[in-house]
Amino acid sequence: MNRRKKGIQILKARAKKANAKLSSSNKPKYISKAERAKIAAQQAIQAEGQEGAATETQTVESSTTDKNQ
């Protein structure tokens, strides 16, 4: 390989790396299996809390309507 070709090859490689750093990826960030399990557990707790709040609201509403009748 001659000196000119080698120089061009090095410059192209540098340009390619620079462009790769600047371009953004549509690929989502990797989340480990343990982290996914932790997030799922937190969401389950929140959902349970929301269901409990919804049933309390229904109970209060039904007792309020009973008193009004």
Side-chain angles (χ1 to χ4, degrees):
M1 182 177 304
N2 63 23
R3 289 174 56 190
R4 183 171 180 232
K5 185 175 179 182
K6 183 68 174 177
I8 291 171
Q9 183 182 16
I10 291 170
L11 291 175
K12 282 184 180 180
R14 284 185 187 170
K16 187 176 179 180
K17 285 181 184 178
N19 287 335
K21 279 189 175 184
L22 292 176
S23 66
S24 63
S25 175
N26 293 334
K27 187 174 154 183
K29 185 179 176 185
Y30 176 75
I31 301 173
S32 68
K33 190 174 182 179
E35 198 65 30
R36 287 192 301 258
K38 183 178 174 184
I39 293 170
Q42 288 175 349
Q43 288 176 346
I45 290 170
Q46 288 177 352
E48 184 178 299
Q50 289 175 354
E51 288 176 4
T55 56
E56 289 176 12
T57 305
Q58 291 173 352
T59 307
V60 171
E61 287 175 357
S62 63
S63 64
T64 306
T65 55
D66 292 340
K67 289 179 184 177
N68 290 340
Q69 291 179 353

